[in-house]
Amino acid sequence: YLVDKGHTVFMISWKNPGPEEANLGLEEYLDLGVLKSLDAVSDLFPHKKINAAGYCLGGTLLSIAAAKLAREKDYRLNSVTLFAAQVDFEEAGELLFFIDEAQLTYLEDSMAQKGYLEAYRMAETFYMLRSYDMIWSKLVEEYYLGERSKMIDLMAWNADATRMPYKMHSQYLRSLFLNNDLSNGKFNISDEPIVLSDIKAPMFAVSTVKDHVSPWESVYKIHFFIDTDITYVLTTGGHNAGIVSEIGHPHRQFQMKLHKRNDIHLSPEEWQMQAKLYDGSWWPKWHDWLLRQSSGRIKAPGIGNTKKGFKPLRDAPGQYVLER
């Protein structure tokens, strides 16, 4: 959608880790993933700021990266967009039922043997969050009634589970979920605290009404930790379908409201009562917001024209998506 609108878009692919990546932690994902990618974009577009977006855990990582860059007075991020991403996990919804000390110890023992969390274990957890939709209704339709669901692109994407390296997943669940270190100011990178209020780039945050992974009231808490202008969206749909909410999709609605940095903070209930309701996809509103952050049209560079030698490795969609 953004490419069709004339934006130059870069995407980071999750790599499916194996035993050799067992000791990659959150800091490595930050340095080798987010920050190295920013370096590559900056090499192609020197002296241009970047509008960054992160989805779910990617959004949490982006928030950490934005706070780290702000602390270092690195102002390459022009804006930050978060899709169904949490920075406070105290009310992280039904997933908390699966995150306690005993469960984490069991998971860590399991991951230590292979070096990663197997994809099916993560998928099973998310299936249990929506057991009626993801398990029992399908059993009734497919096995009792013999009705096979037609595969669509969103279902195929949802079924394409990924693994997580041992160290990173343990840190994520223990430090962020169980201890809630990020919102409590106890999360460090390179022995330096990550303080979310250091972020000054304008923010666009999207949540979904039926999100069992990142409940919208939990996502909304970004207002209480970020000292900047926040345009907040609450859209119909769930963790996947609410974000992949293309134009023309029937029965879509969303609410949106701007919180300026000096405004009085609203509770989620107050926000929902005051936010304007719109019909259709929220994508055009996001595009309009991005245009207001952008500096205008420029000539797209050739991918091979880089000073640091960033060269194409292979044709799209790349190597990672083909790994098992």
Side-chain angles (χ1 to χ4, degrees):
Y1 174 74
L2 291 183
V3 171
D4 287 343
K5 292 293 184 180
H7 295 270
T8 300
V9 179
F10 298 84
M11 296 188 73
I12 304 174
S13 174
W14 286 103
K15 186 185 188 315
N16 228 3
E20 61 276 11
E21 282 90 27
N23 291 318
L24 292 181
L26 284 169
E27 188 160 347
E28 284 76 24
Y29 267 70
L30 185 68
D31 291 338
L32 302 177
V34 181
L35 299 180
K36 285 290 186 183
S37 298
L38 288 178
D39 290 342
V41 176
S42 296
D43 184 50
L44 281 165
F45 292 94
H47 313 301
K48 291 289 183 181
K49 291 191 173 185
I50 299 164
N51 297 307
Y55 193 166
C56 193
L57 173 54
T60 306
L61 280 172
L62 177 58
S63 300
I64 295 170
K68 181 180 189 306
L69 292 171
R71 179 185 180 89
E72 296 171 352
K73 299 188 180 341
D74 183 331
Y75 302 114
R76 281 180 290 170
L77 288 185
N78 186 55
S79 71
V80 173
T81 295
L82 303 180
F83 300 145
Q86 300 172 92
V87 297
D88 180 279
F89 295 87
E90 184 178 355
E91 299 176 271
E94 297 166 29
L95 195 59
L96 288 173
F97 294 141
F98 300 89
I99 308 300
D100 58 24
E101 187 63 43
Q103 287 284 345
L104 286 183
T105 301
Y106 169 75
L107 276 177
E108 287 169 342
D109 289 344
S110 176
M111 289 189 293
Q113 297 177 21
K114 290 194 173 183
Y116 55 84
L117 177 69
E118 294 169 295
Y120 79 86
R121 289 187 179 275
M122 186 176 299
E124 285 174 349
T125 301
F126 290 120
Y127 286 163
M128 290 303 296
L129 293 181
R130 296 180 58 193
S131 59
Y132 177 79
D133 294 331
M134 304 299 289
I135 300 176
W136 304 117
S137 65
K138 291 185 178 296
L139 284 173
V140 171
E141 291 173 4
E142 296 187 4
Y143 292 97
Y144 291 161
L145 301 179
E147 298 174 356
R148 295 292 182 262
S149 300
K150 184 180 178 181
M151 181 59 70
I152 60 174
D153 51 3
L154 192 63
M155 288 173 61
W157 176 45
N158 190 55
D160 188 17
T162 186
R163 299 189 291 266
M164 289 284 187
Y166 166 64
K167 183 178 179 181
M168 190 274 263
H169 198 54
S170 178
Q171 288 178 329
Y172 175 58
L173 293 180
R174 189 173 292 280
S175 180
L176 298 185
F177 258 92
L178 192 61
N179 299 332
N180 208 14
D181 286 344
L182 181 58
S183 64
N184 289 328
K186 298 178 181 178
F187 186 80
N188 294 338
I189 292 291
S190 300
D191 295 325
E192 293 185 341
I194 295 298
V195 182
L196 294 171
S197 59
D198 287 340
I199 300 173
K200 297 298 183 285
M203 184 172 287
F204 193 98
V206 184
S207 60
T208 69
V209 172
K210 296 182 179 179
D211 198 327
H212 291 69
V213 180
S214 305
W216 84 265
E217 295 91 345
S218 179
V219 176
Y220 181 83
K221 287 186 172 183
I222 192 73
H223 288 86
F224 308 143
F225 301 103
I226 307 293
D227 186 24
T228 188
D229 292 354
I230 301 173
T231 300
Y232 192 80
V233 169
L234 174 62
T235 182
T236 52
H239 189 73
N240 292 340
I243 303 301
V244 188
S245 183
E246 70 278 10
I247 295 173
H249 194 293
H251 313 303
R252 290 290 190 225
Q253 289 184 318
F254 66 95
Q255 290 180 268
M256 186 173 76
K257 182 173 173 52
L258 169 65
H259 170 90
K260 298 188 75 66
R261 60 181 304 181
N262 293 322
D263 287 349
I264 298 297
H265 286 88
L266 303 175
S267 69
E269 295 76 20
E270 291 172 322
W271 181 93
Q272 198 169 24
M273 291 178 62
Q274 295 183 24
K276 186 175 180 180
L277 179 66
Y278 299 86
D279 288 323
S281 170
W282 54 269
W283 288 9
K285 292 291 186 183
W286 182 41
H287 175 245
D288 292 342
W289 182 85
L290 285 173
L291 285 181
R292 293 195 295 273
Q293 316 306 321
S294 301
S295 57
R297 288 183 174 271
I298 61 173
K299 184 178 179 180
I303 294 298
N305 301 330
T306 64
K307 297 178 182 178
K308 296 180 181 179
F310 292 110
K311 297 180 180 180
L313 299 178
R314 60 182 65 226
D315 292 337
Q319 176 182 353
Y320 294 158
V321 298
L322 304 176
E323 294 179 349
R324 293 186 179 274

